[in-house]
Amino acid sequence: MVRKREMTSMLSVDLSTFDHGTQISQEPLAIDSASLYQAFEQVKDRRKKKGVRYSLAFVLTLIMLGKMAGETTIEGIIDWVDLRKEKLKRLLNWPKKFPTYDVYTRVLTHCDHQEVAKAITQVILNARSVEQCGDEPSRSLTQQVHGEENLIHTAVDGKVLRGTLKHGREDQPPVHLLTFYECESGLVLDQFSVEKKENEYSRCLAILHPLLVKGRILTADAGIAYKEWCMIVHIMGGYYMIPIKDNHPAVRQDLILFFADKGRDQSEFHSYKETNKGHGRLETREIWTSTQMNGFFAKDWAGIAQVYMIKRTVKEKGEERIEIVYGMTNLPRKKADAERLLQLNRKH
């Protein structure tokens, strides 16, 4: 077993070998090195078979172990492996020599980084599942047998990196990144740069891929939440949850009037409320969901299954602030009730 205690910053790992990034810190987690190897066997090897001495899964496992130990370059990973050759030979049952620099770079050049990220994420999620189930590890298997989808919440968001916004030189534009962040595991699945002549919406449309969408709940800000984006997510087998703000004035007005109509039959509404207190602040979040508007919006919003209104009330230092957000999702109630939708909104 490989443990975080034995390696520095084991799970605070940047998934990309060459791109620099920071992951959030996670609690120590036991991961079997064999499970890493097995997961990497699912990544397609696009190298020509002639002359291949090291399997793609073996090389990726070494890279991952080195990355989990805090190494950020191929040279660092090679040195880390070299210092632990005998231990790694026993751990991985490998009697031969270890790869050279050229082998590492060739492997990384001929594999899909999104497939690699997906494999790593699945290993971590499986390990967390076993850890959380305690003495009942079969609970996860039971969910799969009964066909329950383990939908993964992925937040899609764009940010301009601090310190890059007001460059004086034309050849140093702001660094604007669009990130796919997996909320459950704390992993950045992928990052894409938004060029000067692009915006987040057009960039997000261009890079949507089934590996980033299928079996996931994608939450996004209003700047990305447009009809075409929602349609592609729905077609690719994913679920969207989006806020409706001033970029959709007519839709927003329809939702305001709908939830404000006291004469409407609200017996079909679902609701949930939670209150949090701390640091001298009392925060209350309430959500109301409905399926009554599905037919009204179905023509323009693919797969729409629920609309919602979230009211956030904050009391602090004798003052009260109220914020109301409207939105919609293609998540049916059997997959996400009012409580789940409120959690998704808060985690985003």
Side-chain angles (χ1 to χ4, degrees):
M1 300 292 284
V2 183
R3 287 188 173 273
K4 185 175 179 182
R5 296 184 184 91
E6 299 171 359
M7 300 178 183
T8 305
S9 301
M10 181 169 178
L11 288 180
S12 299
V13 55
D14 176 11
L15 294 182
S16 170
T17 304
F18 299 110
D19 297 334
H20 296 286
T22 302
Q23 307 298 321
I24 66 169
S25 177
Q26 299 290 336
E27 293 299 319
L29 182 67
I31 296 179
D32 187 348
S33 57
S35 67
L36 280 174
Y37 188 97
Q38 291 168 1
F40 287 139
E41 285 184 315
Q42 306 306 313
V43 179
K44 185 176 180 180
D45 189 348
R46 293 172 172 81
R47 294 175 296 172
K48 294 181 179 179
K49 293 183 179 181
K50 185 177 179 181
V52 172
R53 297 178 57 191
Y54 302 93
S55 72
L56 179 139
F58 177 71
V59 178
L60 290 179
T61 299
L62 291 177
I63 292 174
M64 185 64 183
L65 292 175
K67 291 288 288 182
M68 291 192 297
E71 301 298 338
T72 59
T73 64
I74 295 297
E75 292 89 345
I77 290 172
I78 291 174
D79 290 341
W80 183 87
V81 169
D82 189 58
L83 290 172
R84 296 161 179 81
K85 285 189 295 188
E86 298 307 316
K87 185 175 182 179
L88 288 172
K89 283 182 178 181
R90 294 194 300 271
L91 183 68
L92 300 174
N93 191 26
W94 183 256
K96 304 176 185 179
K97 293 182 179 180
F98 285 91
T100 62
Y101 181 91
D102 289 341
V103 173
Y104 284 109
T105 56
R106 193 177 304 117
V107 164
L108 291 171
T109 303
H110 291 85
C111 65
D112 189 320
H113 68 284
Q114 291 179 353
E115 291 181 13
V116 174
K118 185 177 181 180
I120 295 170
T121 300
Q122 194 58 52
V123 169
I124 293 174
L125 289 177
N126 288 343
R128 289 228 172 120
S129 177
V130 172
E131 183 181 68
Q132 291 169 2
C133 288
D135 296 330
E136 300 180 71
S138 61
R139 285 194 326 218
S140 294
L141 180 60
T142 301
Q143 288 181 348
Q144 294 175 21
V145 170
H146 290 285
E148 296 180 22
E149 282 186 283
N150 181 27
L151 298 175
I152 303 170
H153 179 198
T154 304
V156 184
D157 197 14
K159 288 289 186 293
V160 177
L161 297 189
R162 183 181 299 176
T164 70
L165 185 59
K166 296 182 179 180
H167 282 312
R169 292 165 49 184
E170 185 65 26
D171 62 342
Q172 291 182 320
V175 179
H176 189 171
L177 296 178
L178 181 66
T179 302
F180 283 71
Y181 173 80
E182 190 168 277
C183 297
E184 279 85 356
S185 65
L187 294 174
V188 173
L189 295 181
D190 218 331
Q191 285 184 331
F192 303 88
S193 61
V194 180
E195 303 301 328
K196 190 174 182 181
K197 295 182 180 181
E198 292 181 310
N199 56 41
E200 290 180 8
Y201 175 65
S202 61
R203 186 63 174 135
C204 196
L205 279 182
I207 52 84
L208 276 182
H209 187 280
L211 285 174
L212 293 171
V213 176
K214 188 174 182 179
R216 297 181 179 275
I217 301 171
L218 271 59
T219 55
D221 291 332
I224 296 173
Y226 286 87
K227 299 173 185 177
E228 187 177 357
W229 184 82
C230 293
M231 179 183 67
I232 294 175
V233 170
H234 182 70
I235 291 173
M236 288 184 176
Y239 297 93
Y240 60 82
M241 179 180 172
I242 60 168
I244 298 296
K245 296 187 177 181
D246 291 338
N247 56 331
H248 297 294
V251 179
R252 186 172 186 274
Q253 187 61 30
D254 287 335
L255 291 174
I256 291 173
L257 294 174
F258 172 76
F259 282 104
D261 186 358
K262 301 301 182 182
R264 183 177 298 277
D265 179 13
Q266 298 186 357
S267 61
E268 172 269 342
F269 283 21
H270 284 192
S271 63
Y272 182 75
K273 179 179 180 179
E274 65 178 21
T275 301
N276 297 283
K277 186 176 182 180
H279 305 288
R281 182 173 67 177
L282 180 66
E283 181 177 343
T284 302
R285 290 173 180 258
E286 300 174 85
I287 185 171
W288 294 265
T289 71
S290 175
T291 62
Q292 294 182 41
M293 295 292 282
N294 293 350
F296 183 79
F297 288 126
K299 181 180 177 181
D300 295 320
W301 299 92
I304 182 170
Q306 298 184 74
V307 296
Y308 63 84
M309 179 180 78
I310 296 175
K311 180 180 179 182
R312 178 172 172 262
T313 305
V314 178
K315 295 181 180 179
E316 187 176 19
K317 297 180 180 180
E319 297 183 356
E320 182 178 273
R321 304 191 309 275
I322 297 177
E323 177 187 9
I324 296 179
V325 175
Y326 299 91
M328 62 176 61
T329 178
N330 66 334
L331 280 163
R333 278 179 171 167
K334 64 181 180 180
K335 296 184 185 297
D337 57 11
E339 180 180 1
R340 175 69 165 141
L341 291 182
L342 190 61
Q343 291 173 349
L344 290 169
N345 174 264
R346 187 171 188 180
K347 285 183 179 180
H348 179 86

